[in-house]
Structures are given as structure tokens and as C-alpha cells.
Amino acid sequence: MKDHVYKILELVGSSDQSIEAAIQNAIARAKATIRDMRWFEVIQTRGHIENGTVHSYQVTLKVGFTLETS
Amino acid sequence: MKDHVYKILELVGSSDQSIEAAIQNAIARAKATIRDMRWFEVIQTRGHIENGTVHSYQVTLKVGFTLETS
Amino acid sequence: MKDHVYKILELVGSSDQSIEAAIQNAIARAKATIRDMRWFEVIQTRGHIENGTVHSYQVTLKVGFTLETS
Amino acid sequence: MKDHVYKILELVGSSDQSIEAAIQNAIARAKATIRDMRWFEVIQTRGHIENGTVHSYQVTLKVGFTLETS
Amino acid sequence: MKDHVYKILELVGSSDQSIEAAIQNAIARAKATIRDMRWFEVIQTRGHIENGTVHSYQVTLKVGFTLETS
Amino acid sequence: MKDHVYKILELVGSSDQSIEAAIQNAIARAKATIRDMRWFEVIQTRGHIENGTVHSYQVTLKVGFTLETS
Amino acid sequence: MKDHVYKILELVGSSDQSIEAAIQNAIARAKATIRDMRWFEVIQTRGHIENGTVHSYQVTLKVGFTLETS
Amino acid sequence: MKDHVYKILELVGSSDQSIEAAIQNAIARAKATIRDMRWFEVIQTRGHIENGTVHSYQVTLKVGFTLETS
Amino acid sequence: MKDHVYKILELVGSSDQSIEAAIQNAIARAKATIRDMRWFEVIQTRGHIENGTVHSYQVTLKVGFTLETS
Amino acid sequence: MKDHVYKILELVGSSDQSIEAAIQNAIARAKATIRDMRWFEVIQTRGHIENGTVHSYQVTLKVGFTLETS
Amino acid sequence: MKDHVYKILELVGSSDQSIEAAIQNAIARAKATIRDMRWFEVIQTRGHIENGTVHSYQVTLKVGFTLETS
Amino acid sequence: MKDHVYKILELVGSSDQSIEAAIQNAIARAKATIRDMRWFEVIQTRGHIENGTVHSYQVTLKVGFTLETS
């Protein structure tokens, strides 16, 4: 149990609703190809502005997942 | 289209509701004097505490806007 | 009034709802033993993932409080 | 009171006397055009050397001021 | 001569030619409204990619200029 | 259009000509296997020295590309 | 002598006189409850502005002290 | 299980043997007064030199522990 | 020889023995799928604590490998 | 005049009086062997505490000086 | 071959032509007194502005060279 | 005793055995020309990989030593 190896991906998710939704969109999209995601860390929070209001949040994440032993 | 020049402002917005509302309050206030805001980046998230609960969120932003050619 | 001294604690709060709720959970828990908390600063936003969705947000905070004169 | 918006300027003040005087020179100069300055943060402390002694201190500051509601 | 005060602007210049041209484009555009620019510092170098080649360089600069005594 | 998810790769390109050529070499090589690259950010600029002159520039890049919906 | 363990506190001291006085005020206040303080490191220097002049310096410190063997 | 709150301490451990022993000395000393330590993070690795050899390693750690619900 | 392109992976290795063993476990696991690994850089050193002693070291690495020309 | 080359030294000066005196002590000592020092930048401000008061300030500086053409 | 020791110098080179020329000027000047330079890393890119155009680029480098066994 | 001035060198030591041995190799080599080394700080830990195993550790250190009064 002690000697797991994890790999870390860097993703950017976006949402016009909230920072949390941008995080969840990135992880939901990654779920299609990556099993065993374990944690994330927010690296940067940015967004686009249109007509003087926030048009979308863009959150850059590091996502860690377990490398299965082959 | 390739040679745009942008200027970056640093603003602090606050809200007693959420981090997103603090971001939007800063951008809404800046809209009064700045046209063509294009993106923001969250630099710092702080807040005030009163009586042991969050009283307000304060979010420091960099906001980029297009410099119009004169 | 000018010569206050503050102490800064570092806490990690978590929530399965939102980043704001994770901040508030940390501060509510600290309230049990610390009087006169004045401000917080978000140092890091992380979270756990289970079955490809966000299971909880974990927010690391610095919290400043007034040291009462003894 | 909770939803103030602040703008942050970056200034460099200098003095041949002390770091504190360099800070005060920058703020005194900014006072001519900016009302409602509220706080500063020191970003960098540099200086010039002439003939093997400190000739001047140069302090880079961020200065926050309240944006008045128009 | 020792007690100058400088103000620092943050700009983003872009060019499809080179990093140096992106820097110069930002400074040339700022020249229209700012006198007495003295130095710059590169904060970030980014760019856009189209069809698998670099389409433009985007360089974020801090630019310092002398505040004239009023 | 608002809910795109991007993935970020980290690459090192090198060139004996210029920093720009090192960036372009990295992106040209990545083009062979990655579609829809959108932006890059320079993380570090290093190089090798031989016989007291620059032998090559090595530029570390983050490269963002769109994850296609499957 | 080689295997000492130290604990590090984070404090904010303030003064309307100087950066050094803000440091000393924080340490003098901590002295009431902490024995064996050994070193400090300045983490951040901020201050409040009132009526266009520096009203107080606020210095954030890390302070290390020896944990006595129990 | 999701809403735990953790507190983070900063400690410096030292050892004349190895970096790992310095970490373990800090944690062993903290164990005397802190229950439920869960993780550590190395912040800085320093050391003292005497007569041209390493005399001791000094490792600064952040240590997280569970705040028990009162 | 001058125009190599490298790709950088981010991995987390763990070990209950030492920091070096955690590094080697990560690289040994990556060897199963990646040829031509050339260098690593330690990004973060963390660990788990159980019953007041270090239970495992967790080391986050960047690992660079040569992209073969296709 | 444009193609000067500078070398940067890192020094630590100390003083029991002030941060400025610690800077000046470092530069005065370096003057004995280095001609043409031009600027300094403060990298870190630390100090020693004895009996609950500041015993000395220790300031780490980078100092730039002109390399004379040989 | 494995146990080389390197020393790292910090230099600032300047040029009115390009960032690459500023790097090369620094290394060419250092070549006069240092043998066996092996690599460089760019730490900062700055420059002087005169009359609203870039007058010179100033690049701060770390340069590593092999310490010969005596 | 309070007004010592220290100089800081940056060195890279390497070893195929351990991080600690890489530190000691750097300091042992520097001992040949530098008296009165007092402390070190680890700046970066890297290494070379050959055939999928760690071939050597490379540790970048800052090393402080007392400047003797001339």
C-alpha cells in the first residue's frame, strides 16, 4: 500500500457558472479516459470577460491518478 | 489582428456572498470607465472575519483590456 | 490602536459543497478556541476525487487574529 | 460597506535616507492625484551604490485605493 | 536627483515575428500617451498556436516611467 | 463554446539559432501527435555552452490543446 | 546539541514609527508567552495609509523558538 | 468524514545523520504534545557546516493534524 | 544533436524507506512505458504520518525524456 | 555604453541597529575588494533574537558590479 | 564522471540588438576568466527605454562551470 | 560579534549514492579554496537517469561563509 506511484496531469476546465463547475467539467471530461483519479490542486483561476461581465471561468488543475501496476 | 496591445489593471473586489460575486463586483465597477475588458486572472483570495464567520470575500484580480489604436 | 500584534494560524477546511463552505468550516471550527479572528487568506485549493467526480474541496487558509494584551 | 472595489497601483519611491523615507516619498507624490489611498505592500527593495556606499534606496510598492462610486 | 518617483504599468504586446518585436510593439503603443518611460521587465512570455505553428508571441511587461513633479 | 476542456503538456525544445526557433521546434515536433494546440507559455529558458559560446538554447514550454469531445 | 527541534510562529507586528519598531513590537508581545525565541524572518511588509501619509507599518514575521525537551 | 478540519504547524528538525532523520526528529518531538498528525511537507532543507564538512541537516516542515471536534 | 525535443512528465513516487527510494520507485514504474528518460527534478517532498512516525515519503518529480523522431 | 556586463554577488550583512545599517555594512565590507559596485537588491531580511529582543538584523543582498573590460 | 562539482555565477549581459545577443555578450565576457562553462539559465529579462523605444536588453543569467579538481 | 559579513556561493554537487552525498561532495570540493564555510541551503534537487534508473543526484546549494576582515 505504501509504494503507489501517481501521475499528474494538468487540465483547464471552464464554465460560465462558477469556479467549482469549471473544476468539475475538467474532471468529468478526463474521466472518459483516465481511471483512478485521486486528487486535484487548483493552479490558476482565470476567465473571459465579454461586455463588461464574466463570460466564463477557466480553472487550471493538476490532477493525480494512480498508475496501475502492469 | 496579431499585434494587439493590452493593458493590465489590478483590482480588488469584495462580496459577502461568494468568490465569484467578488470577481463580478470588481469587473462591474471597472466597466464604468474601461471599455474592451478581455480577461481576468485571480491573484489572491482573502476575506474579513467578524464574530467567527466570514464577513466578506476579497479577491485581487488582474484585468486585461485592449488598448485602442489612437 | 496602531500597535496591535496579530498571530497567524494555518488551517485546512473541507466541504463537499463548495470552496466557500470549506473556508467557513475551517473558521467555524477555529472559533471554538480562538477569539478575535480578523482576516483569512487562501493559500491553496485542493480536493479529493472519487469515481470521477469531486468528492470534497480542501482549502488551506492563513487566519489572522488579534493577540490580546495580557 | 462590504462591496467596496479597490484599485492597486505599482510605484517606486526613492530616498537617500531610509527605506521608510522611500515609501513615504512614493505615497506623498501619489497623493497629488489619488484620493483615498488605503494600504501599501512592499514588493521589492533595491538601491544604487556610488563609491562603495549606498547612494539611494528604491522601494517598489503596491498601493490600494478605494474606487469611488460614480 | 535622488528622490524620483516612478509608476509601473503592466502591458501585453504581441507580434508574429519575435519576442523582441512583441516588446517593442507594447512600448511603441504606450509611447502615444506616456512620456519618460525608463525601463521594462519581462513578466511572462506566451503565444498563440495555429495549425501547429507559432501564430504570435505575447509578452507581458512591466514598464516604469518617471512621475513628473507637478 | 464556453465549456471547453484543455490539456497542458510540458515540452523542451532546443535550437542553436534563437529562443524563438527553440519554441517552434518543440511545437513542430508535438504537431506530429497532437491536434488542436492553442497556446504556449515559456516556463524556463536555458542553454548549453561550448568553448565559451552559446551552443544551443533550451526552452521549456507549457502547451495547451483542446480535448475533443469523444 | 545537534538535534534541537524548533517551532515557527507567524506574527504581524505594527508600528507608526518604522519597520524595525514593528518587528520589535511583535517580538516583545510574543515574549510574554514564548521562551527561547531564536530568530525571525520578514515575510511581508505592508502598511496603512491615512490622509495620504503612512499611518502604520505592518510586518509579517516567522519567529523560530526552541522546543524544550519535556 | 468529508468535513474534517486540519491545523498546520511549522517545525524545524535537525540531525547529523540524514535529511530523513531530521524529519523524523521533528515529528517525534511534536508527538509529545500533538495527537493525530497526518502528513508533512518539506519547506526548506538547510544545514550547518563545521571544518568543511556537514555538521547537521536542518529541515523545515509543515505538519498537518486533525482538529478533534470538541 | 542540437535540436532534440523532450517531454516532461510529473510523477509522485512513494517509499517507507527514504526520499531516494521514493524517487527510484517513481522512475522504475515509469520505465515500463517510457523509453529514453534523461533527467528528473524534485518538485515537492511530502509524506504520511501514522502513530507519530513517518509512514511514507512522497516525492513529486518532473521527469524529462527524449521524443523520438517519427 | 550599451554592452556592459555586470556580475552579481550575494552577501549577508548584519547590524544591531537597523536594516539600513546591515545593508551598508555588507557593502562597506565588499568595497575592500570590489570596485564599481552599482546596485543592490534585498533578497531576505532575517535576524537573531536574544532574551526576547532583536539582537541583530541580517540582510541578504544581491550586489551588481561592472566587469571591467580586460 | 558522476561526482563533478559545478559553481554557478550570476551575470547580467546587455545588447541593443536582441535577447540572444545580451546572453552571448555576458558569456563572451566571462570566457576571459572562466574555463569550462557548461550551461546557463535566464533569470530575468529587463531593458532600458529611451525616447519611447527599446534602447537595450539586459538579461540576468546563471552560468554553471566545472570546478577542476586541484 | 554582531556585524559579521557573509558571502554566499552557489554550487552543484553530484553523487550516485544519495542526496546527502551530493551535498557533501560539493562542500568537500569547496573546502579546498574557501575557509570558514558556515551553512548551506538546498536550492534544487535534480538528477540524471540512465537505462531507467537513477544514475546520479545533482543538488544545487547556496553556501555561506564568513568574510574575514582584511
Side-chain angles (χ1 to χ4, degrees):
Chain A
M1 183 179 170
K2 294 163 294 213
D3 292 358
H4 281 316
V5 174
Y6 307 89
K7 190 176 169 185
I8 296 177
L9 283 189
E10 196 164 337
L11 299 172
V12 184
S14 58
S15 163
D16 58 359
Q17 295 297 310
S18 68
I19 293 170
E20 286 86 348
I23 294 170
Q24 287 169 333
N25 285 348
I27 291 171
R29 178 64 188 78
K31 185 185 180 179
T33 53
I34 301 167
R35 287 196 292 174
D36 284 319
M37 289 185 289
R38 303 299 285 269
W39 84 88
F40 67 89
E41 179 182 340
V42 173
I43 298 304
Q44 191 180 53
T45 303
R46 299 171 62 101
H48 291 293
I49 302 171
E50 292 197 3
N51 299 320
T53 59
V54 176
H55 179 261
S56 64
Y57 299 94
Q58 277 195 313
V59 182
T60 305
L61 301 175
K62 296 210 175 189
V63 176
F65 60 96
T66 313
L67 280 179
E68 301 156 43
T69 50
S70 52
Chain B
M1 185 180 169
K2 295 164 293 211
D3 292 358
H4 281 315
V5 175
Y6 307 89
K7 189 175 169 186
I8 296 177
L9 283 189
E10 195 164 337
L11 299 172
V12 184
S14 57
S15 161
D16 58 359
Q17 295 297 310
S18 68
I19 292 169
E20 285 86 350
I23 294 170
Q24 287 168 334
N25 285 346
I27 291 170
R29 177 65 187 76
K31 185 186 179 178
T33 52
I34 302 167
R35 287 196 293 174
D36 284 320
M37 289 186 289
R38 304 299 285 268
W39 83 88
F40 67 91
E41 180 182 340
V42 174
I43 298 303
Q44 191 179 54
T45 304
R46 301 171 62 101
H48 291 292
I49 302 171
E50 291 198 2
N51 300 319
T53 58
V54 176
H55 179 260
S56 64
Y57 298 94
Q58 278 195 313
V59 182
T60 306
L61 301 175
K62 297 211 175 186
V63 176
F65 60 97
T66 312
L67 280 179
E68 300 158 42
T69 50
S70 51
Chain C
M1 183 179 170
K2 295 164 293 211
D3 292 357
H4 281 315
V5 174
Y6 307 89
K7 189 175 169 185
I8 296 177
L9 283 188
E10 196 164 337
L11 300 172
V12 184
S14 57
S15 162
D16 57 359
Q17 294 297 310
S18 67
I19 292 169
E20 284 86 349
I23 294 170
Q24 287 169 333
N25 285 347
I27 290 170
R29 177 65 188 78
K31 185 186 180 178
T33 52
I34 302 167
R35 288 196 292 174
D36 284 319
M37 290 185 288
R38 305 299 285 269
W39 84 87
F40 68 89
E41 179 181 341
V42 173
I43 298 303
Q44 191 179 52
T45 304
R46 300 170 61 101
H48 290 292
I49 303 171
E50 291 197 4
N51 299 319
T53 57
V54 176
H55 179 259
S56 64
Y57 299 94
Q58 278 195 313
V59 182
T60 305
L61 302 175
K62 297 211 175 189
V63 176
F65 60 97
T66 312
L67 279 179
E68 301 157 42
T69 51
S70 50
Chain D
M1 184 181 168
K2 296 164 291 215
D3 292 357
H4 281 315
V5 174
Y6 306 90
K7 189 174 169 185
I8 296 177
L9 283 188
E10 196 164 337
L11 300 171
V12 184
S14 58
S15 162
D16 58 358
Q17 295 297 311
S18 68
I19 293 170
E20 285 85 350
I23 294 170
Q24 288 169 332
N25 286 347
I27 291 170
R29 177 64 188 76
K31 184 186 180 177
T33 52
I34 302 167
R35 286 196 294 172
D36 284 318
M37 289 185 289
R38 304 298 285 269
W39 84 87
F40 67 89
E41 179 182 340
V42 173
I43 298 303
Q44 191 178 53
T45 303
R46 301 170 63 99
H48 290 293
I49 303 171
E50 290 197 4
N51 300 318
T53 58
V54 176
H55 179 260
S56 63
Y57 299 95
Q58 278 195 312
V59 182
T60 307
L61 302 176
K62 297 211 175 188
V63 176
F65 59 97
T66 312
L67 279 180
E68 301 156 41
T69 49
S70 52
Chain E
M1 184 181 169
K2 294 163 292 210
D3 291 357
H4 280 316
V5 175
Y6 307 88
K7 189 174 170 187
I8 297 177
L9 283 189
E10 196 164 338
L11 299 172
V12 184
S14 57
S15 161
D16 58 359
Q17 295 298 310
S18 68
I19 292 169
E20 285 85 350
I23 294 170
Q24 287 168 333
N25 285 347
I27 290 170
R29 177 63 187 78
K31 184 185 180 180
T33 53
I34 302 167
R35 287 196 293 174
D36 284 319
M37 290 186 288
R38 305 298 284 269
W39 83 87
F40 68 90
E41 179 182 341
V42 173
I43 298 303
Q44 192 179 50
T45 304
R46 300 170 63 100
H48 291 293
I49 303 171
E50 291 198 5
N51 299 320
T53 59
V54 176
H55 179 259
S56 63
Y57 298 95
Q58 277 195 314
V59 182
T60 306
L61 301 176
K62 297 211 176 190
V63 176
F65 60 96
T66 311
L67 279 179
E68 300 158 42
T69 50
S70 50
Chain F
M1 185 182 167
K2 295 164 292 214
D3 292 358
H4 281 316
V5 175
Y6 306 89
K7 189 174 169 185
I8 296 176
L9 282 188
E10 195 163 338
L11 300 172
V12 184
S14 57
S15 162
D16 58 358
Q17 295 297 309
S18 67
I19 293 169
E20 286 85 350
I23 294 170
Q24 287 169 332
N25 285 347
I27 290 170
R29 178 63 188 77
K31 183 186 181 179
T33 53
I34 303 167
R35 287 196 293 173
D36 284 318
M37 290 186 288
R38 305 297 285 269
W39 84 87
F40 67 89
E41 179 181 341
V42 173
I43 298 303
Q44 191 178 53
T45 303
R46 301 170 61 100
H48 290 292
I49 303 170
E50 291 197 5
N51 299 321
T53 59
V54 176
H55 179 259
S56 63
Y57 298 94
Q58 278 195 313
V59 182
T60 306
L61 302 175
K62 297 211 176 190
V63 176
F65 59 96
T66 312
L67 280 179
E68 301 157 41
T69 49
S70 51
Chain G
M1 182 180 170
K2 294 163 291 208
D3 291 357
H4 281 314
V5 175
Y6 306 89
K7 189 174 168 185
I8 296 176
L9 282 188
E10 196 164 337
L11 300 171
V12 184
S14 57
S15 161
D16 58 359
Q17 295 298 310
S18 67
I19 292 169
E20 286 84 350
I23 294 170
Q24 287 168 334
N25 286 347
I27 290 170
R29 177 64 187 79
K31 185 186 180 178
T33 52
I34 302 167
R35 287 197 292 174
D36 285 319
M37 289 185 289
R38 305 298 286 268
W39 84 87
F40 68 89
E41 179 182 341
V42 174
I43 298 303
Q44 191 179 52
T45 303
R46 300 170 63 100
H48 290 292
I49 303 171
E50 291 198 3
N51 299 320
T53 58
V54 175
H55 179 259
S56 64
Y57 298 94
Q58 278 195 313
V59 182
T60 305
L61 302 175
K62 297 210 175 190
V63 176
F65 60 97
T66 311
L67 278 178
E68 300 158 41
T69 50
S70 50
Chain H
M1 184 181 169
K2 295 163 291 212
D3 292 357
H4 281 317
V5 175
Y6 306 89
K7 189 174 168 185
I8 296 177
L9 283 188
E10 196 163 337
L11 299 172
V12 183
S14 57
S15 162
D16 57 359
Q17 295 297 311
S18 67
I19 293 169
E20 285 85 351
I23 294 170
Q24 287 170 333
N25 285 347
I27 290 170
R29 177 65 188 75
K31 184 186 181 177
T33 52
I34 302 167
R35 287 196 292 173
D36 285 318
M37 290 184 289
R38 305 298 286 268
W39 84 88
F40 67 90
E41 179 181 341
V42 174
I43 298 302
Q44 191 178 53
T45 302
R46 299 171 62 101
H48 291 293
I49 303 171
E50 292 198 3
N51 299 320
T53 58
V54 176
H55 180 259
S56 64
Y57 299 94
Q58 277 195 313
V59 182
T60 305
L61 301 175
K62 297 211 175 189
V63 176
F65 60 96
T66 312
L67 279 180
E68 301 156 42
T69 50
S70 50
Chain I
M1 184 180 167
K2 294 163 291 209
D3 291 357
H4 280 315
V5 175
Y6 307 88
K7 188 175 170 185
I8 296 178
L9 282 188
E10 195 164 337
L11 299 172
V12 184
S14 57
S15 162
D16 58 358
Q17 295 299 308
S18 67
I19 292 169
E20 285 85 349
I23 294 170
Q24 287 168 333
N25 285 346
I27 290 170
R29 177 63 187 77
K31 184 185 180 178
T33 52
I34 302 166
R35 287 196 293 174
D36 284 320
M37 290 186 289
R38 305 297 286 269
W39 84 86
F40 68 90
E41 179 182 340
V42 173
I43 298 302
Q44 191 179 53
T45 304
R46 300 170 62 100
H48 291 292
I49 303 171
E50 291 197 5
N51 299 319
T53 57
V54 176
H55 179 260
S56 64
Y57 299 94
Q58 278 195 313
V59 182
T60 306
L61 302 175
K62 297 210 175 190
V63 176
F65 60 96
T66 311
L67 279 180
E68 300 157 42
T69 50
S70 51
Chain J
M1 184 179 170
K2 295 164 291 214
D3 291 357
H4 280 316
V5 175
Y6 306 90
K7 189 175 169 185
I8 296 177
L9 283 188
E10 195 164 338
L11 300 172
V12 184
S14 57
S15 162
D16 58 359
Q17 296 298 310
S18 68
I19 293 169
E20 284 85 349
I23 293 170
Q24 286 169 334
N25 286 346
I27 290 170
R29 177 64 187 78
K31 184 185 180 178
T33 52
I34 302 166
R35 286 197 293 173
D36 284 319
M37 290 185 288
R38 305 297 285 268
W39 83 88
F40 67 91
E41 178 181 342
V42 174
I43 299 302
Q44 190 178 53
T45 304
R46 301 170 63 99
H48 290 292
I49 303 171
E50 291 198 3
N51 299 319
T53 58
V54 176
H55 179 260
S56 64
Y57 298 94
Q58 277 195 314
V59 182
T60 306
L61 302 175
K62 296 211 176 188
V63 177
F65 60 97
T66 311
L67 279 180
E68 300 156 42
T69 50
S70 50
Chain K
M1 183 181 170
K2 297 165 290 216
D3 292 357
H4 281 316
V5 175
Y6 306 88
K7 189 175 169 186
I8 296 177
L9 283 189
E10 196 163 337
L11 299 172
V12 184
S14 57
S15 162
D16 58 358
Q17 295 298 311
S18 67
I19 293 170
E20 285 85 349
I23 294 170
Q24 286 168 334
N25 285 347
I27 290 170
R29 176 65 187 77
K31 184 185 181 178
T33 53
I34 303 166
R35 286 196 294 173
D36 284 319
M37 290 186 288
R38 305 298 285 268
W39 83 88
F40 68 90
E41 179 182 341
V42 174
I43 299 302
Q44 191 178 54
T45 304
R46 300 171 63 101
H48 291 293
I49 303 171
E50 292 197 2
N51 299 320
T53 59
V54 176
H55 178 260
S56 64
Y57 299 94
Q58 275 194 314
V59 182
T60 306
L61 301 176
K62 296 209 175 190
V63 176
F65 59 96
T66 312
L67 280 179
E68 301 157 43
T69 49
S70 51
Chain L
M1 184 181 171
K2 294 164 293 213
D3 292 357
H4 280 315
V5 175
Y6 306 89
K7 189 174 169 185
I8 297 177
L9 282 189
E10 196 164 338
L11 299 172
V12 183
S14 57
S15 162
D16 58 359
Q17 296 296 311
S18 67
I19 292 169
E20 285 85 348
I23 294 170
Q24 287 169 334
N25 285 347
I27 291 170
R29 177 65 187 77
K31 184 184 181 179
T33 52
I34 302 166
R35 286 196 294 173
D36 284 319
M37 290 186 288
R38 305 298 284 269
W39 83 88
F40 68 89
E41 178 182 342
V42 174
I43 298 303
Q44 190 178 54
T45 304
R46 301 171 61 102
H48 290 293
I49 303 172
E50 291 197 3
N51 298 319
T53 59
V54 175
H55 180 260
S56 64
Y57 298 94
Q58 277 195 314
V59 182
T60 306
L61 301 174
K62 296 210 176 188
V63 176
F65 60 96
T66 312
L67 278 180
E68 300 157 43
T69 49
S70 52

